[in-house]
Amino acid sequence: MCPIFRALLGVLAVTSVTFFVLGGGLSQVATSVHRAGVATYTGATWFVASVTKRDLARSYESASTTYERVSDTNTEPFAKRKKNVRILIVPGHEPFSGGAEFGGIYEREWTYAIGESLREILSMNPRYEVMLARTDTAWHPALLSYFTDEAADIEAFREAHKEEMDALVRDGSIPPDLHEVHHGTASTDAALHLYGINKWAGEQNIDIALHLHLNDYADRKSTRAGEHAGFSIYVPLGAYSNGEASKDIADAIAARLSAYHATSTLAQEASGVVESRPLIATGAYNTADHASVLIEYGYIYEPQFHAPELRDLVAAEYAYQTYLGLQDFFGDSVSGTYGSVAFPYDWQGAIGKERGVPVYALQAALHHLGFYPPKNVSFTDCPITGVIGPCTKNALSAYQQARSLSVSGVLDGATAEALQNEFGVRL
Ligand SMILES: [Zn+2]
């Protein structure tokens, strides 16, 4: 994951001398845990589920289909009475700081672009009430005032949950986190904001939080592109209150992303969906009652993030696939979709183009038809980049051969017409 999150793992493991009295809800959870007497790390439940797939499905089914606009400016953005499924989109990192960076491209700008696109798509479904946690310049006013006014309570909330976990570890109910690094004593703003979001989301009855990120890894030389590629989704431990529902959502989104993108080649992310105990965004110390997933769409140095002409398309593509995954999760799948916004395309208009949107569309379409990446080559070696190269030429040749066209590896009129017949055309 990106370096800021590694840093936060250290921050959240702060040992504190302050003990805060637990709230009623938390005590109840503790009681249930002790009664259940669960102790093993894998496959066990430490906490009573705060959200389940069935709860969410029921909310979705019974959601009002009258469109509820969520205020972008009001400090109380949601309607008093909850009638829809509430989704909070959190573009990774602070508006002006944090996150990965490569070649003048900032993760925090990309996560906002994807977030804005995702908000747009989700908002078309009246069953959702959608809030974007920040723009490219500021946190949503509701969160901004919460971070400031409730800073002490947020810290108390974190401490209470940490104490809770520590006590369960001490009495042997749950195992210690061997990966926890104990250093530092001060909380950063970024950590406070993430705990604040968890606390606020609970008070606002948020159902699902989607934390959006681009990936990086710690020991990459900052001036050079790294060796890893692909997406991964981080989820809370299955043993947390929100573990199971979050995992189900992540699996559904991963299935849609993996239709057009490689899963991460980093060993610990190879499964695509990765459990994390100390990640704040997904509920470190069991601080999230809502389902929460953290999506790393790709590595910051991957080519699709470095072509300005692809920016809108790539943001929309990731957002759309995230939306499709959510719809699959809710059992309300979108029909008649190729799973990509890149095509159908005006293929005649793509003739002679070496890069950009037309090439991205061509690669995605060839992928959908099973020709891209070329035979015996992986998605990692031939990602959808929007740039013509050997991958696209080989894939086009295979397509032309399969459709009995003259084989050139180049998009010509006859090939464009064949593609048009496959998909129809969108002008
Ligand atoms: Zn990040």
Side-chain angles (χ1 to χ4, degrees), residues 1-5 92-93 99-100 107 111 212-215 294 296:
M1 67 191 73
C2 43
I4 183 71
F5 272 95
H93 307 284
E107 175 192 357
T111 59
L212 317 184
H213 287 258
L214 297 191
N215 217 336
L294 186 152
E296 302 271 12

Side-chain angles (χ1 to χ4, degrees), residues 67 69-70 72 88-92 107-124 130-138 140 210 212 297 311-312 314-320 322-323:
Y67 182 66
R69 179 101 172 86
V70 174
D72 286 342
L88 178 65
I89 302 169
V90 188
E107 175 192 357
R108 57 182 180 268
E109 291 173 4
W110 262 104
T111 59
Y112 168 64
I114 299 169
E116 182 57 55
S117 188
L118 182 56
R119 188 253 294 263
E120 219 172 282
I121 298 171
L122 287 171
S123 298
M124 290 180 208
V130 191
M131 182 179 136
L132 193 59
R134 69 165 177 85
T135 66
D136 51 346
T137 55
H140 189 289
L210 303 168
L212 317 184
Y297 284 102
R311 194 182 175 93
D312 292 348
V314 170
E317 184 81 335
Y318 283 123
Y320 183 58
T322 305
Y323 170 68

Side-chain angles (χ1 to χ4, degrees), residues 140-301:
H140 189 289
L143 286 169
L144 192 60
S145 60
Y146 193 79
F147 295 153
T148 312
D149 302 345
E150 307 289 323
D153 283 353
I154 295 168
E155 184 60 20
F157 166 83
R158 185 191 74 89
E159 281 300 326
H161 280 80
K162 183 183 180 313
E163 279 299 326
E164 171 80 3
M165 289 285 279
D166 287 350
L168 292 171
V169 169
R170 276 197 302 273
D171 76 10
S173 299
I174 61 176
D177 187 353
L178 300 175
H179 303 288
E180 262 186 314
V181 187
H182 288 266
H183 63 82
T185 51
S187 183
T188 64
D189 279 354
L192 177 93
H193 292 172
L194 290 170
Y195 281 115
I197 286 169
N198 287 351
K199 183 172 186 291
W200 184 83
E203 292 157 9
Q204 298 291 326
N205 292 312
I206 298 287
D207 294 295
I208 300 171
L210 303 168
H211 292 262
L212 317 184
H213 287 258
L214 297 191
N215 217 336
D216 204 352
Y217 58 98
D219 48 354
R220 176 177 68 81
K221 288 204 169 55
S222 65
T223 51
R224 262 193 285 167
E227 55 180 310
H228 299 293
F231 79 88
S232 53
I233 305 182
Y234 283 82
V235 294
L237 278 195
Y240 282 165
S241 302
N242 66 342
E244 215 179 294
S246 304
K247 171 79 160 62
D248 287 340
I249 292 168
D251 285 343
I253 295 172
R256 287 296 188 163
L257 288 174
S258 67
Y260 286 94
H261 311 278
T263 47
S264 175
T265 55
L266 192 72
Q268 58 266 39
E269 294 173 343
S271 63
V273 176
V274 191
E275 281 192 13
S276 170
R277 179 165 170 174
L279 207 54
I280 305 173
T282 55
Y285 303 129
N286 205 45
T287 47
D289 285 342
H290 53 282
S292 185
V293 301
L294 186 152
I295 308 169
E296 302 271 12
Y297 284 102
Y299 282 81
I300 184 75
Y301 44 78

